[in-house]
């Protein structure tokens, strides 16, 4: 879950900064793909190196690292794929729809598996996503 949330949120700023600065969806796709891969590798190493699993019983560091890294990559790449659409406005709209789908899905997962209220989860995750996307868009718009 940590990987999915981190990937979904942390990759928003670079993607939206690039697309608003260049108005070129392909550039945003490359930035998003690179960010999703880099974030996935970073999270895999962070999770794998943070705990051997012996004291906490959390399992193999390799398994945890692989799962968290893949989740981070997946969370970051889903809203990156719409930038394969060559038309700027269409790509941004589809990316925003993908982002909304991701946030709804994350809130549902938190409700289903962690017992967190759906509305509370949705608001907290959405707030983070909106803040991060707005920062990226703002930085891109001033360039």
């Amino acid at each position: 879950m940590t990987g999915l949330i981190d990937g979904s949120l942390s990759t928003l700023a670079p993607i939206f900064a690039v697309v608003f600065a260049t108005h070129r969806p392909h550039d945003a796709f490359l930035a998003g793909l690179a960010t999703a891969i880099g974030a996935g590798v970073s999270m895999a190493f962070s999770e794998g190196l943070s705990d051997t699993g012996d004291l906490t019983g959390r399992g193999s560091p390799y398994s945890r690292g692989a799962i968290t890294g893949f989740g981070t990559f997946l969370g970051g790449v889903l809203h990156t794929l719409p930038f394969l659409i060559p038309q700027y406005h269409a790509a941004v709209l589809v990316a925003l729809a993908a982002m909304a789908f991701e946030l709804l899905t994350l809130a549902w997962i938190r409700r289903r598996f962690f017992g967190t209220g759906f509305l509370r989860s949705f608001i907290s995750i959405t707030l983070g996503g909106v803040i991060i996307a707005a920062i990226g868009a703002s930085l891109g718009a001033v360039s």
Side-chain angles (χ1 to χ4, degrees), residues 31-86:
L33 184 61
T35 303
I37 292 169
V41 171
S42 174
M43 283 294 286
F45 274 94
S46 295
E47 180 62 29
L49 296 173
S50 68
D51 176 14
T52 64
D54 294 334
L55 293 174
T56 61
R58 293 179 56 215
S60 161
Y62 298 107
S63 297
R64 288 191 341 272
I67 291 167
T68 304
F70 179 74
T72 304
F73 168 76
L74 184 64
V77 81
L78 290 177
H79 52 259
T80 297
L81 295 175
F83 291 105
L84 287 171
I85 299 170

Side-chain angles (χ1 to χ4, degrees), residues 11-36 76-77 79-85 88 91-92 95:
T11 58
L12 292 173
I15 293 169
F16 283 98
V18 169
V19 80
F20 278 88
T22 67
H23 293 269
R24 294 174 42 176
H26 186 262
D27 291 349
F29 172 76
L30 293 176
L33 184 61
T35 303
V77 81
H79 52 259
T80 297
L81 295 175
F83 291 105
L84 287 171
I85 299 170
Y88 170 75
V92 170

